[in-house]
Each structure stands twice: as C-alpha cells, then as structure tokens.
Amino acid sequence: MKRIGLLSPESERKRHHARKPLEVVSDDQLNRAITGLASPPVTPEKGNGVHVSQSELGKAKRRLDFTIAEGTVERNTTGSVYSLGKSLFLRGSECDKMDDQKTLVSRQQECDHLQSFIETNLAKNNSASIYISGPPGTGKTAQTMSLLDWYTDNAKSQRGSIYDVQIAGRISRVSVVKVNCMAVARPEDVYRIIHREISQSSKRQKLDSETLSKVLADKSICDMNIVVLDELDNLVNKNQQVLFELFTWASNHQQGGPNLLLIGIANALDLTDRFLPRLKNNQINPEVLAFMPYTAEQTKEVIMNKLRILQKMTGGDLDAIPLIQPVAITLCSKKVASNTGDIRKALDIIHRSLDVIEETTRSKVTQSEFDSLTLESAPKVNIGLVAKVCNSIFGVNVGSTKLSGYNLQHKLVLCALANYESHLLESKGKITTVTGSGGSPRRKRLSSTVNGLYEFYTKHVNTDKLMGTLKRGEFIEILNSLESSGSVTIGSGTQTLDYGQSPVSCSISRKELLEAVSDNALLQKVITKD
Ligand SMILES: Nc1ncnc2c1ncn2[C@@H]1O[C@H](COP(=O)(O)OP(=O)(O)OP(=O)(O)O)[C@@H](O)[C@H]1O
Ligand SMILES: [Mg+2]
C-alpha cells in the first residue's frame, strides 16, 4: 500500500509519544499570562520522595492543623485576609477533617468502609487486604493517612511504630507502616523497609521474604501489622512477585502465619483491570474500595468547609461566606467535577483566584486601607474571575491569552490552519475526484487533513524570506505541540492509519485568533484569505 503520510512509518509509530512532552506554553507561562502569578502552586513531583522512617519521626509530626474541631485554633493570622485564605487552598496544606478528626470532608462513606475493614479484622485477629483504587486527587492517600493517624494519635502508648490502640473495647498492639512505593527503587526493598519499621532496626541489611514473614508472625512484637503500600502502581510495573507475596500473606488465616492487614493504594485507572484479576486468579481476594472523582456538590463542600475554617480562625460569622461569591464557588466546583473530579484542581483555582483579587485590590487602595481589610469588607472573587482562571487551568477558550505564550512559528501554523479552514468552508459542497482503492475514481467531499494543511501552508504561506519554510517534520512537531496544549484537534486517521489523512481543526475561534494577531501584520496576512 502506498503511504501518503507526512512521516516515516517509524515516526508515525512514535507520534503518540512525541505529542505529550511537547509543551509549547508552559503552565507557568500561562499562569503568569493570566494571573500575573510568579510562582503558582505546583504538584509535588512524585518519585523524588525520600523514605524517612517513622521511627525516626516518632510522634514529632509537623502538620498544619486546619481542623474545625473543638478548642482554640492556634494559627499565624498575620498578613492580609487574602494570604490567610490562600494558605488554606495551597496544595500540600493539611486537608480538613470533620469534627471526628478522622473523616475527610465528602469522604464519609470511604472512611467508614476503611475503618470497618480495619476494626472487623483486628477484632478477629484476621489477616486481610484491601485494594483502594481511584483517579488522582480523590483523597485516597489523605483519607487513609487521616484514619491511621487518628488511631495512632489516640493510642494509649507508643514504642516506635508499635501502638497500643483501643478497638472494640480491647487494646491491641499494632504496628503501622506506611510505604510510598514511588520512593522504592526495587520491589524487594519493601521487605527491608517494613522490617526496619517494625523491628526498629536502623541496619541497612538485605532481607528475604522468609525473615520478614517470621517477624510479621511474631506475636511478641505485636498483634497485628498494618502496612500501607501507597502508589502501588509503581511496583506493579516491576517484579510483581513481592506484591503477590504480601497479598498472599494477608489472605492467609493459618495459625502462626504472618499477621498482616495490607492496604494497597493505586491511582492508575487501568490497574484494577490488570492487577486485581491476577490476584483473584491466585485465590487472593482483597476487599475493594473505589474512590470516585469528587462530584460538584462534594467539591463545593470541600471549598465551603475551608472558608468556614477561615471564619473560625478569625472569629468571623460562620454563616457568612468570605472572599468568594457563592456562584463563583459553584462554577469552580462544576468545572472541576466535569473535568476529572481532582480536588487539587479546585484548590488551585481558588488559590489563583484569591491571588488575582488580592493583587487587583492592592492596586486600587492605599496600603493602610489594604491592611485594614476584613473578611467582610474584602472584595470577593466573582464568577468572571473564576471562569478566567478555570480556562487557564483547563486550557480551553483562552484565545489570545494562550496565543501570547506561543512563538511566531506556532502562531503562523495556527493562522495557516484558520485560513485553510476558511478556504475549505468556501469550497464547501464542492466535490473533488480522488483515486479510490482499486484505482477507480471516487468522488469525495473536501475536508481538512494534516496533509492538506501542510500543502496549503507551503503554497499559500509565503514567509520564506522572513523566517524560512518549515520542513514537514518540523511542521508536524509544531502541530502536535499545538494539539498538546489544546489549540488544535487532530482526529485519529482513516482506516489506513495514515497520520497525513487525519482530520485537523483549529480549537480557537477565528474571531479570537484575529483579535490575538491584530498587532502583527505578518500573521494577519497569513490568516486573511487572499
Ligand atoms: N476531602 C478533602 N478535603 C480537603 N482536602 C482534600 C480532600 N481530599 C483530598 N484533599 C487534598 O487534595 C490533595 C490530593 O489528595 P490525595 O493525595 O489524597 O489524592 P490521591 O487520591 O491519593 O491522589 P493520587 O492518586 O495522585 O495519589 C491532598 O493535598 C489532600 O490533602
Ligand atoms: Mg495518593
């Protein structure tokens, strides 16, 4: 079959991979363009973690306490009311718990399920496992840690990672070990980490599974070992033997076997399909707890709860909603829920919105007026501002703002595409004759394709003298990066899997593009039909 694609077969095969890393407009640039933020909140990089043993940490937990439980709330209340608000919505700030100190806002069901798993099995001295799955930002880690912290914080006594916890009217000696599998270089290291925590040994010795299983079975150390394997996905992609072994121990109810409550947390969506069936095929049946994406209502409740905390911190009216208009909160919640339901996005949107309103307000009033603003008097984030910030975060309908972060070649390709689409629109209804399979002539309606666009670009966009003409490979790279940042949509190819025949369309309206290039004669020429 003759290929009419623009790329070599090898390049086309790699195309999918090539698309993702090509970010033309960095988040950072975009944030600054929209909000003037110099350093927007960032997700901590996974994989760079350092495992700090809990025994080293002991009870010296340094946590920001943003709860609204009984008692006085000691906080640093210096800075503007906006800074105070922003501190609550900063990524990485302690997530808020309900009055019971263990349940996250909007995660009651999940907390109850996990608590019942732990307590039922502890009461019976049963080994068991639970597999917690769900997309990113649904509170899997935060809820699990919150519940375990609640047990350990209320323990009668503690020795390293071993706690005397009171459950169902009796005291159990329990070890609690939390392992972030992202920080584990080789699966076998998990044995050593667990052993080190339980035995309080600082020796970096090699350890086989048999030694660990004996330690886990040793009732003189503790009655039950609760082991959390967070970011389990990281181990599933490597040697799965270690995981199978741990899940096998946790499903073994024989006397004298390891005493293990295993909590595996995974965020890859397809892990449930890949890993769980393999466990079940091996007669290992962990309980399954799915954390669903936050709904709009739940997201709203998380935001509202943080604002109530703010009122509590400053002694304000708990019924009033400070700093953000209710409709703006609703819009943010709906946008996040309709996207991925990742609560981190909601925190980011509110944080950025507060940043913008803070700067705007500061520029309008004197310093002393600014300093004397209260939660009641401070201008509030409105729906328009949240809409703008949502657009910057989700990368849609940002027209000129998005364009301002592109270089000239990218803008040129976008303008060429807009012009090409206009040409095609004009010739809508026109029929062209193409050669069909088997060599017979076939009549086909004109449509925008990657091949067609490149041909249009080379014929109609005459910028050779000024900045040269892009070679096909370069052109495709730029097109792919425009797609990655949401300005262009490239459909999947035809049955021939020919990338050149993939339909291509501009995701920014022609009107927005025209506005965005109004100060550039060259681009105006490229976008204007001749
Ligand atoms: N219900 C909630 N209320 C307040 N903050 C929350 C809530 N749920 C999650 N968060 C916060 O959102 C962030 C992400 O939560 P968490 O790390 O638990 O998500 P996750 O499901 O484990 O995501 P990943 O799959 O990426 O590991 C954390 O900073 C956490 O404190
Ligand atoms: Mg997590």
Side-chain angles (χ1 to χ4, degrees), residues 157-428:
S157 61
Q158 179 202 358
R159 194 176 55 83
S161 310
I162 318 266
Y163 301 83
D164 287 337
V165 297
Q166 183 156 17
I167 286 175
R170 76 181 178 113
I171 305 264
S172 298
R173 263 181 323 132
V174 173
S175 81
V176 180
V177 181
K178 301 165 188 168
V179 183
N180 185 337
C181 301
M182 276 287 179
V184 175
R186 294 169 311 133
E188 305 77 51
D189 293 347
V190 171
Y191 295 140
R192 188 172 45 78
I193 294 169
I194 298 173
H195 182 262
R196 190 180 59 194
E197 290 300 331
I198 297 171
S199 65
Q200 307 295 300
S201 152
S202 54
K203 275 193 248 159
R204 290 183 66 85
Q205 65 197 36
K206 254 193 119 188
L207 197 102
D208 56 22
S209 69
E210 209 185 312
T211 315
L212 178 63
S213 93
K214 281 185 189 146
V215 170
L216 293 176
D218 189 344
K219 289 266 185 190
S220 71
I221 300 176
C222 65
D223 301 315
M224 186 57 78
N225 301 280
I226 302 180
V227 174
V228 181
L229 296 180
D230 197 3
E231 312 278 5
L232 197 72
D233 334 34
N234 194 47
L235 293 191
V236 170
N237 296 329
K238 298 178 182 167
N239 173 8
Q240 292 190 354
Q241 191 48 40
V242 174
L243 280 185
F244 276 115
E245 188 124 52
L246 289 169
F247 274 97
T248 308
W249 291 343
S251 65
N252 182 354
H253 294 165
Q254 277 173 9
Q255 278 283 322
N259 304 301
L260 177 62
L261 284 187
L262 187 62
I263 303 174
I265 307 177
N267 73 359
L269 289 174
D270 62 340
L271 198 69
T272 310
D273 299 332
R274 285 190 289 133
F275 185 55
L276 210 55
R278 290 195 67 180
L279 287 181
K280 294 199 166 159
N281 286 344
N282 287 277
Q283 276 71 53
I284 306 167
N285 289 302
E287 259 186 52
V288 178
L289 172 57
F291 275 58
M292 303 308 282
Y294 283 103
T295 63
E297 261 314 298
Q298 291 173 325
T299 307
K300 188 172 174 182
E301 194 40 43
V302 171
I303 298 171
M304 297 287 274
N305 189 63
K306 282 187 182 285
L307 295 174
R308 280 197 289 271
I309 291 169
L310 195 57
Q311 290 285 27
K312 183 133 184 169
M313 282 162 70
T314 55
D317 175 5
L318 288 181
D319 291 330
I321 302 168
L323 302 183
I324 309 162
Q325 290 178 356
V327 278
I329 299 176
T330 306
L331 176 72
C332 168
S333 310
K334 285 190 173 165
K335 287 266 184 190
V336 170
S338 65
N339 195 264
T340 54
D342 179 343
I343 202 76
R344 293 185 186 106
K345 291 267 193 289
L347 304 185
D348 286 356
I349 290 167
I350 300 294
H351 186 279
R352 287 192 204 183
S353 302
L354 287 172
D355 221 353
V356 177
I357 192 97
E358 181 178 30
E359 280 315 303
T360 316
T361 309
R362 198 193 289 276
S363 67
K364 284 186 185 158
V365 298
T366 64
Q367 186 61 40
S368 69
E369 282 170 329
F370 184 79
D371 291 341
S372 58
L373 286 174
T374 63
L375 286 184
E376 286 71 40
S377 64
K380 293 183 179 182
V381 169
N382 64 21
I383 191 165
L385 176 52
V386 164
K388 257 194 206 159
V389 174
C390 283
N391 287 342
S392 82
I393 286 184
F394 296 126
V396 287
N397 301 331
V398 285
S400 57
T401 317
K402 178 168 257 184
L403 229 68
S404 65
Y406 289 150
N407 70 27
L408 199 55
Q409 290 286 18
H410 289 82
K411 289 179 189 169
L412 205 109
V413 172
L414 261 183
C415 291
L417 174 55
N419 195 353
Y420 171 56
E421 285 184 325
S422 304
H423 264 83
L424 290 174
L425 205 68
E426 234 172 44
S427 53
K428 198 175 165 204

Side-chain angles (χ1 to χ4, degrees), residues 120-186:
T120 313
N121 289 301
L122 262 187
K124 291 191 223 154
N125 254 328
N126 244 359
S127 287
S129 58
I130 188 163
Y131 176 81
I132 297 178
S133 67
T138 49
K140 301 181 297 294
T141 303
Q143 181 55 78
T144 306
M145 299 311 166
S146 169
L147 181 60
L148 292 177
D149 285 346
W150 178 73
Y151 285 124
T152 56
D153 288 349
N154 292 302
K156 299 279 172 213
S157 61
Q158 179 202 358
R159 194 176 55 83
S161 310
I162 318 266
Y163 301 83
D164 287 337
V165 297
Q166 183 156 17
I167 286 175
R170 76 181 178 113
I171 305 264
S172 298
R173 263 181 323 132
V174 173
S175 81
V176 180
V177 181
K178 301 165 188 168
V179 183
N180 185 337
C181 301
M182 276 287 179
V184 175
R186 294 169 311 133

